[in-house]
């Protein structure tokens, strides 16, 4: 895919134009499978290459990404699975990508033992990363009660040869009779702090009503001694510990780590066979961090409350089209934002589809932290794709224009009587397009 965007910024009468991006992004995903009477074999290599076509000041280096590269063997008779290489995991105490090994064995029905070890990835470059190494053990009980599975795990990570995190946790998954609940709790024994608690739920009610919810409380980033390096001159955790001691480094790590809370409750209901309505209310906040070790404090984000509703329909104008219209309202730190959006997808032929989109938003009030008081933005765009036997050609183009009025001094409300040196009036225009193809074989 080739992507290009151009920006025009007019701030307090000064104009700046420039190309924000012109790059070629190529990806290849190769998977090999072989099924046998006893053993199954699977291998995957997913690699990407981003070529920045800008030159001179502002040009970024070309990047090779390697998110996945592993081999896997599955033994049907002994009920074990082994995987080696660059991989990802979303349960059992390991969350994200790592270079390493994974092994799972089910000695009897309803019970599974899993272990993983390796180095967590800080980026998707092709080098073997070993700054933060870990070991993880999880025990899974399937069908503890009808529809209920439980997983307990223990996770330990080291950074620069020093203990970085030591976590224990429990995951629960319940699926039964139109109800699903997924819960997870993670406690760090090294810091003696609750790392995260997450609860997701879905409930099907009579007359085709569906209620969904997400509740999440966590440290951000996740607790780890490595966080003590944020804002420090050294990149070696052992060097930092030699200067301030392990307890000092633990305190720095806690000082650099905020607490985030998020919750969403949504409801969906079909109005007709071709029309569905949905709405949700959400809440979020991120705590501030304290100043220490020469690193300044960061203020809390304040509580944000959002309400949105949307209608999804099909075959409104022509057979096979899909249309969405939505409204949103958010309030945070004294500001109020309203937005309206619409998306559509229309079949032109059996293989060609176009998708116009439009989003318009307006903000009013006064943010006590940033001084932002008023602004608006509008962004129309168009997606199109042509599907053929083994692939698809995709095109996207869009335009965005926004205006912002703000105080240049955080914490000082916007006031037209402020000196011009403390006021910002900015208009931004952005145009972008992209053209790419995807071929499968």
């Amino acid at each position: 895919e080739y992507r290009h965007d151009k920006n025009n910024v007019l701030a307090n009468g000064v104009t700046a134009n420039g190309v924000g991006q012109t790059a070629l992004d190529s990806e290849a995903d190769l998977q090999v499978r072989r099924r046998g009477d006893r053993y199954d074999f699977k291998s995957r290599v997913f690699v990407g290459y981003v070529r920045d076509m800008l030159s001179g000041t502002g040009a970024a280096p070309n990047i090779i990404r390697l998110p996945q590269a592993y081999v896997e063997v599955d033994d049907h008779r002994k009920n074990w699975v082994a995987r080696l290489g660059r991989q990802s995991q979303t349960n059992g105490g390991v969350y994200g990508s790592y270079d390493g090994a994974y092994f799972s064995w089910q000695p009897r029905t309803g019970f599974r033992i899993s272990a993983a070890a390796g180095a967590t990835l800080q980026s998707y470059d092709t080098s073997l990363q070993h700054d933060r190494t870990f070991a993880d053990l999880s025990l899974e009980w399937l069908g503890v009660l009808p529809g209920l599975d439980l997983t307990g795990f223990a996770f330990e990570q080291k950074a620069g040869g020093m203990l970085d995190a030591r976590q224990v946790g429990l995951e629960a998954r319940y699926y039964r009779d139109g109800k699903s609940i997924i819960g997870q709790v993670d406690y760090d024994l090294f810091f003696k702090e609750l790392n995260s608690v997450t609860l997701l739920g879905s409930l099907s009610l009579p007359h085709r009503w569906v209620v969904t919810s997400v509740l999440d409380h966590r440290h951000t980033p996740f607790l780890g001694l490595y966080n003590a390096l944020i804002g420090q001159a050294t990149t070696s955790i052992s060097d930092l510990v030699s200067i301030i001691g392990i307890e000092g480094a633990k305190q720095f790590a806690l000082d650099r780590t905020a607490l985030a809370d998020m919750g969403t409750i949504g409801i969906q209901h079909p109005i007709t066979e071709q029309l569905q309505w949905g709405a949700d209310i959400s809440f979020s906040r991120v705590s501030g961090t304290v100043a220490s070790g020469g690193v300044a404090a960061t203020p809390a984000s304040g509580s944000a409350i959002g309400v949105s509703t949307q209608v999804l329909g099909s075959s409104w104008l022509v057979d096979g089209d899909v249309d969405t219209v939505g409204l949103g309202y958010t309030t945070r730190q004294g500001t109020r934002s309203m937005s309206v959006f619409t998306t559509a997808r229309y079949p032109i032929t059996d293989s060609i589809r176009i998708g116009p989109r439009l989003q318009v938003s307006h903000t009013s009030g006064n943010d006590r932290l940033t001084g932002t008081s008023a602004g608006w933005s509008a962004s129309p765009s168009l997606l199109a794709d042509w599907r053929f036997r083994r692939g698809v050609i995709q095109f996207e183009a869009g335009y965005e224009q926004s205006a912002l009025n703000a105080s240049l001094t955080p914490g000082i409300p916007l006031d037209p009587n402020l000196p011009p040196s403390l006021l910002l009036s900015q208009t931004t225009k952005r145009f972008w397009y992209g053209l790419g193809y995807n071929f499968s074989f």
Side-chain angles (χ1 to χ4, degrees), residues 242-316:
S242 67
I243 298 172
I244 63 174
I246 188 66
E247 292 302 321
K250 288 174 68 175
Q251 188 59 54
F252 276 13
L254 289 169
D255 293 344
R256 302 289 85 76
T257 306
L259 288 172
D261 296 293
M262 185 273 290
T264 300
I265 297 177
I267 189 168
Q268 298 88 39
H269 179 64
I271 300 174
T272 67
E273 292 300 322
Q274 296 178 316
L275 190 65
Q276 179 167 306
W277 169 80
D280 62 72
I281 181 170
S282 61
F283 167 84
S284 66
R285 66 184 176 194
V286 179
S287 71
T289 62
V290 301
S292 65
V295 180
T298 59
S301 68
S303 299
I305 298 176
V307 180
S308 67
T309 183
Q310 63 181 24
V311 175
L312 173 66
S314 61
S315 301
W316 282 2

Side-chain angles (χ1 to χ4, degrees), residues 89-157:
Q89 197 170 322
T90 58
N91 60 359
V94 182
Y95 308 106
S97 299
Y98 63 92
D99 289 331
Y102 169 83
F103 181 81
S104 176
W105 177 44
Q106 188 169 343
R108 60 180 177 85
T109 302
F111 182 68
R112 182 183 293 121
I113 304 172
S114 301
T120 54
L121 294 187
Q122 309 303 310
S123 66
Y124 283 141
D125 64 36
T126 56
S127 63
L128 290 175
Q129 301 173 34
H130 49 76
D131 289 343
R132 304 175 79 178
T133 59
F134 75 92
D136 176 81
L137 177 66
S138 64
L139 305 177
E140 186 174 6
W141 294 269
L142 307 173
V144 177
L145 295 173
L148 176 64
D149 299 336
L150 295 177
T151 301
F153 64 84
F155 174 90
E156 182 173 290
Q157 183 164 266

Side-chain angles (χ1 to χ4, degrees), residues 110-441:
F111 182 68
R112 182 183 293 121
I113 304 172
S114 301
T120 54
L121 294 187
Q122 309 303 310
S123 66
Y124 283 141
D125 64 36
T126 56
S127 63
L128 290 175
Q129 301 173 34
H130 49 76
D131 289 343
R132 304 175 79 178
T133 59
F134 75 92
D136 176 81
L137 177 66
S138 64
L139 305 177
E140 186 174 6
W141 294 269
L142 307 173
V144 177
L145 295 173
L148 176 64
D149 299 336
L150 295 177
T151 301
F153 64 84
F155 174 90
E156 182 173 290
Q157 183 164 266
K158 292 186 176 181
M162 308 193 68
L163 183 60
D164 183 45
R166 180 176 288 155
Q167 301 158 4
V168 294
L170 181 68
E171 300 171 357
R173 299 172 297 279
Y174 178 79
Y175 304 97
R176 191 172 176 86
D177 301 329
K179 298 181 286 291
S180 68
I181 301 175
I182 301 175
Q184 180 265 348
V185 59
D186 184 312
Y187 183 82
D188 195 294
L189 299 171
F190 183 46
F191 287 90
K192 295 181 174 58
E193 291 272 349
L194 184 65
N195 215 345
S196 67
V197 180
T198 304
L199 184 65
L200 298 86
S202 176
L203 176 63
S204 296
L205 300 175
H207 307 294
R208 301 169 67 184
W209 288 88
V210 177
V211 178
T212 59
S213 64
V214 178
L215 299 173
D216 185 83
H217 168 81
R218 67 180 54 235
H219 282 83
T220 177
F222 253 32
L223 282 173
L225 194 66
Y226 206 76
N227 296 352
L229 293 174
I230 297 174
Q232 300 299 317
T234 180
T235 59
S236 169
I237 190 65
S238 58
D239 288 349
L240 183 63
V241 170
S242 67
I243 298 172
I244 63 174
I246 188 66
E247 292 302 321
K250 288 174 68 175
Q251 188 59 54
F252 276 13
L254 289 169
D255 293 344
R256 302 289 85 76
T257 306
L259 288 172
D261 296 293
M262 185 273 290
T264 300
I265 297 177
I267 189 168
Q268 298 88 39
H269 179 64
I271 300 174
T272 67
E273 292 300 322
Q274 296 178 316
L275 190 65
Q276 179 167 306
W277 169 80
D280 62 72
I281 181 170
S282 61
F283 167 84
S284 66
R285 66 184 176 194
V286 179
S287 71
T289 62
V290 301
S292 65
V295 180
T298 59
S301 68
S303 299
I305 298 176
V307 180
S308 67
T309 183
Q310 63 181 24
V311 175
L312 173 66
S314 61
S315 301
W316 282 2
L317 299 180
V318 296
D319 289 340
D321 70 6
V322 178
D323 305 87
T324 304
V325 177
L327 296 170
Y329 173 83
T330 302
T331 177
R332 183 207 300 264
Q333 290 283 17
T335 62
R336 298 172 298 279
S337 298
M338 298 187 65
S339 64
V340 57
F341 64 90
T342 177
T343 66
R345 191 165 180 82
Y346 301 114
I348 303 302
T349 68
D350 290 341
S351 57
I352 299 176
R353 285 170 170 76
I354 61 171
R357 298 181 177 185
L358 174 64
Q359 178 163 331
V360 179
S361 63
H362 179 266
T363 299
S364 61
N366 179 70
D367 189 323
R368 297 185 301 273
L369 296 177
T370 66
T372 302
S373 174
W376 62 268
S377 67
S379 177
S381 62
L382 178 68
L383 303 176
D385 60 68
W386 171 40
R387 298 182 179 274
F388 46 94
R389 182 179 178 185
R390 290 187 174 180
V392 57
I393 295 176
Q394 298 172 314
F395 172 77
E396 178 182 8
Y399 175 80
E400 181 180 20
Q401 182 168 337
S402 62
L404 170 71
N405 296 309
S407 165
L408 289 176
T409 304
I412 297 181
L414 180 68
D415 184 341
N417 297 318
L418 284 173
S421 59
L422 297 180
L423 290 173
L424 172 65
S425 178
Q426 177 176 298
T427 300
T428 302
K429 301 177 182 179
R430 175 174 172 255
F431 170 73
W432 75 90
Y433 65 88
L435 179 63
Y437 71 91
N438 186 302
F439 181 72
S440 302
F441 61 92

